[in-house]
Amino acid sequence: MQETGVRNGAYGADKFGFKDLAGVNWNLTEAPLYEHAIAKGEATVVSSGALCAETGHHTGRSPKDKHTVVDDLTRDSVWWDGNRKMSKENFDTLLEDFIAHCKGKTLFAQDLVGGADPKYRIRTRVFTELAWHSLFIRQLLIRPEREDLAKFMPEMTIVDLPSFKPDAKRHGGREGSDTMVAIDFTRKIVLIAGSSYAGEMKKSVFTTLNFYLPAENVMPMHCSANVSHDGESALFFGLSGTGKTTLSSDPNRILIGDDEHGWGPDGIFNFEGGCYAKCIKLSQEAEPQIWDATNRFGAVLENVVFDKDTRVPDYDDGSKTENTRSAYPMPFIPNASKTGRAGHPKNVIFLTADAFGVMPPIAKLDPNQAMYHFLSGYTAKVAGTEKGLVGVEPEFSTCFGAPFLPRHPAIYADLLKEYIHKHKVDVWLVNSGWTGGKYGEGRRMPIKATRTLLTAALNGSLKNADFRTDPYFGFSVPTSVPGVEPHLLNPFKTWQNKAEFDKTARALVAMFQKNFARFESHVTPDIKAAAPEVRIAAE
């Protein structure tokens, strides 16, 4: 077997069970991974210097194909309402077939770390059959020092084989599916089959930390984070498309991370060492930091359309998918934190892209409302973001990350409630979605206004504003903020058809109430009472 790169010679691929491999390329850096990816026809170098790859028909995660092994560790601890079961026997068969599938192949391996806090990190070895996948995960997780690789001992192993097609009967997957993500928490093994979407790897690390960290009094969170130069940090929860990456990339604050964090006794810490930004309609003017990080050597682009002759990317072209992505390491952001850590946050932001156009651009939540909206995890999906989707649909993803929660949502909510109370944190709901009408009728919330409101919330000045009580959701909404058009703060006033606004707002309130019914037996009466309810006639 041919092996290249820096590695722990005493703990090679054979320790995982691989047999008769042609070779392993260990911990290769950007330049050689570019060469392998291009030589194998996996990807193309575009004019900016980034490496651009296509992911085939999987242009996003496949949450319905994610399976968790049922054993003594997980049987009574996993939230099975939100996770698919897999027998240990099926997993063992899948693992054996993975090993057999790799015979004669040359794999790529990266030894990386999930978690910037040494107390809670997990050492992770990732085997991939694609060179560009190896580069992707290298840019997204935390890299150990080069000299530490010679003694690296993994706690967790991920094997990523897009060319392996699972068999539903043999491996216990879904009938008709060519994809499977299988997790064994006891052995800390993740097997990814049949998908070229690289994001499955990073989310597998997140899911694993989500399983283990609550027992150590650490709250794992699907959020971005930044910190002021005075040391006041903030968290930004939100589902895809709500602005986590964009809004946390603030040139006046230090970026901790854009997607996954932990909040423990010593403060917050990033799980990752890179960013995974949506780049549909990316522009240098609106998002200069993300633009610069995306358009350079070492960035990995997914499904971005480019001119075949000039290789110039067209970030406005969503013909392959609206979910075009850019992956790059944290140092590509000039004001990124070097430690990935910060103190306890002063502010928590819940982001929603309300495509119904009835949520205000910002609202202050009391502690019970905060728990209600955290468990709800609301945003909206619009036509074009998913195959077959027409119009607007609500999306409720509990804790703003249901696909990544191995344990019951109440466990995460209780942890968040404890930390918010202990550290006297202010919680805000920010709508980065639509105003003046639904999607297709109104307009997208001006990002300048969103940034102005966020700045006021983070620097403390917004707490001194005058507030009104929203008649539909009951939370507090500022009546005026310097630099923001006054009518934006009251969505009712932005709609021409007032009756239609009232009808739409009442319908959204009903959607919230229907969705929350599944959590009512797990929360206190105070949290149940924080549910939106039409209290008075709209003014």
Side-chain angles (χ1 to χ4, degrees):
M1 182 175 69
Q2 293 186 337
E3 297 185 89
T4 62
V6 182
R7 65 195 182 281
N8 181 350
Y11 204 94
D14 59 309
K15 296 295 184 183
F16 185 73
F18 285 117
K19 301 172 185 175
D20 302 323
L21 293 176
V24 181
N25 294 305
W26 292 94
N27 297 302
L28 297 188
T29 56
E30 288 85 344
L33 287 171
Y34 264 56
E35 291 174 355
H36 281 285
I38 294 165
K40 295 169 67 179
E42 297 175 3
T44 303
V45 181
V46 294
S47 60
S48 63
L51 189 70
C52 188
E54 293 187 26
T55 63
H57 68 284
H58 289 289
T59 57
R61 291 178 297 99
S62 301
K64 293 180 180 179
D65 293 305
K66 186 175 173 183
H67 304 263
T68 301
V69 172
V70 183
D71 58 18
D72 291 342
L73 176 65
T74 61
R75 189 170 290 107
D76 298 320
S77 60
V78 165
W79 177 44
W80 293 115
D81 287 350
N83 290 270
R84 290 177 176 270
K85 294 182 178 181
M86 184 180 203
S87 71
K88 186 177 181 299
E89 292 72 22
N90 281 139
F91 186 91
D92 288 343
T93 300
L94 181 65
L95 178 57
E96 289 173 9
D97 291 348
F98 258 52
I99 298 296
H101 186 79
C102 288
K103 286 183 179 180
K105 290 182 179 292
T106 297
L107 300 180
F108 297 85
Q110 293 286 340
D111 290 328
L112 302 161
V113 171
D117 189 329
K119 292 180 186 175
Y120 309 113
R121 64 180 39 167
I122 185 166
R123 296 185 305 276
T124 305
R125 176 167 285 176
V126 186
F127 290 101
T128 68
E129 63 177 331
L130 298 179
W132 82 265
H133 274 197
S134 192
L135 178 59
F136 172 93
I137 201 63
R138 175 181 172 79
Q139 306 296 50
L140 263 294
L141 293 185
I142 298 169
R143 305 174 194 169
E145 294 297 326
R146 199 78 178 156
E147 57 268 23
D148 293 335
L149 294 174
K151 55 182 184 291
F152 188 93
M153 297 280 286
E155 300 166 86
M156 175 182 180
T157 303
I158 298 172
V159 185
D160 175 48
L161 303 178
S163 69
F164 184 97
K165 303 304 178 188
D167 179 273
K169 290 182 180 177
R170 180 172 172 80
H171 303 125
R174 289 193 309 136
E175 286 289 341
S177 174
D178 62 354
T179 305
M180 176 175 278
V181 179
I183 301 180
D184 183 327
F185 285 121
T186 298
R187 288 180 281 183
K188 296 187 177 73
I189 296 173
V190 179
L191 305 176
I192 302 171
S195 176
S196 293
Y197 183 69
E200 296 284 13
M201 292 182 286
K202 86 181 212 87
K203 288 304 185 188
S204 296
V205 178
F206 183 43
T207 302
T208 301
L209 289 169
N210 282 350
F211 180 78
Y212 283 102
L213 289 184
E216 300 189 57
N217 204 33
V218 174
M219 169 62 182
M221 304 172 292
H222 186 212
C223 70
S224 58
N226 62 25
V227 61
S228 71
H229 292 281
D230 296 330
E232 293 191 349
S233 63
L235 303 176
F236 301 77
F237 287 86
L239 302 175
S240 177
T242 58
K244 286 198 313 300
T245 299
T246 298
L247 295 172
S248 59
S249 296
D250 184 335
N252 298 313
R253 294 171 67 86
I254 299 164
L255 179 66
I256 305 296
D258 82 323
D259 196 39
E260 301 164 4
H261 292 80
W263 186 357
D266 300 325
I268 62 173
F269 61 98
N270 194 358
F271 286 171
E272 300 184 305
C275 298
Y276 193 33
K278 289 190 79 167
C279 50
I280 190 70
K281 299 191 175 10
L282 177 65
S283 75
Q284 190 170 18
E285 180 182 4
E287 300 173 272
Q289 290 189 327
I290 297 173
W291 174 274
D292 290 344
T294 294
N295 290 284
R296 60 180 286 183
F297 179 83
V300 181
L301 308 185
E302 285 183 327
N303 300 311
V304 172
V305 176
F306 57 87
D307 186 283
K308 289 188 172 151
D309 296 322
T310 65
R311 308 281 177 86
V312 174
D314 182 357
Y315 296 111
D316 292 331
D317 191 331
S319 58
K320 291 180 182 176
T321 175
E322 290 280 318
N323 193 35
T324 55
R325 293 277 182 167
S326 168
Y328 48 85
M330 290 295 295
F332 281 19
I333 300 292
N335 58 323
S337 167
K338 291 180 171 58
T339 65
R341 301 171 67 181
H344 299 289
K346 296 291 184 184
N347 291 277
V348 166
I349 314 295
F350 295 157
L351 296 169
T352 181
D354 175 31
F356 292 97
V358 299
M359 287 277 196
I362 196 165
K364 193 171 190 308
L365 307 181
D366 67 32
N368 292 316
Q369 290 170 337
M371 288 304 98
Y372 183 93
H373 284 276
F374 179 67
L375 284 167
S376 296
Y378 166 71
T379 191
K381 298 180 289 188
V382 299
T385 56
E386 287 188 8
K387 186 177 181 180
L389 179 60
V390 178
V392 180
E393 287 185 9
E395 180 176 11
F396 293 97
S397 185
T398 185
C399 306
F400 297 96
F404 322 119
L405 305 183
R407 298 185 183 273
H408 194 281
I411 291 175
Y412 306 101
D414 287 345
L415 264 174
L416 184 63
K417 182 180 180 182
E418 175 188 338
Y419 276 117
I420 285 175
H421 175 74
K422 183 176 181 179
H423 299 288
K424 299 180 173 57
V425 179
D426 289 320
V427 183
W428 307 87
L429 181 71
V430 170
N431 174 24
S432 61
W434 277 257
T435 186
K438 299 178 187 177
Y439 167 79
E441 299 170 6
R443 60 168 174 151
R444 193 75 192 250
M445 194 72 69
I447 191 167
K448 183 179 179 182
T450 302
R451 287 196 182 279
T452 300
L453 291 168
L454 272 176
T455 298
L458 298 182
N459 67 25
S461 64
L462 191 56
K463 288 197 287 185
N464 300 322
D466 292 327
F467 287 83
R468 66 178 177 87
T469 299
D470 185 89
Y472 299 94
F473 288 87
F475 40 48
S476 299
V477 182
T479 56
S480 66
V481 177
V484 178
E485 303 167 51
H487 67 283
L488 272 181
L489 296 166
N490 190 339
F492 180 76
K493 294 181 179 179
T494 67
W495 283 54
Q496 289 188 340
N497 188 330
K498 309 301 186 188
E500 186 63 24
F501 174 88
D502 181 65
K503 177 182 175 183
T504 305
R506 289 172 184 269
L508 184 57
V509 166
M511 294 175 200
F512 267 87
Q513 294 169 341
K514 180 180 178 182
N515 170 73
F516 202 80
R518 58 193 171 130
F519 299 120
E520 289 187 346
S521 62
H522 299 279
V523 300
T524 64
D526 287 342
I527 295 175
K528 281 194 282 188
E533 181 181 352
V534 180
R535 291 162 172 80
I536 57 174
E539 297 176 357

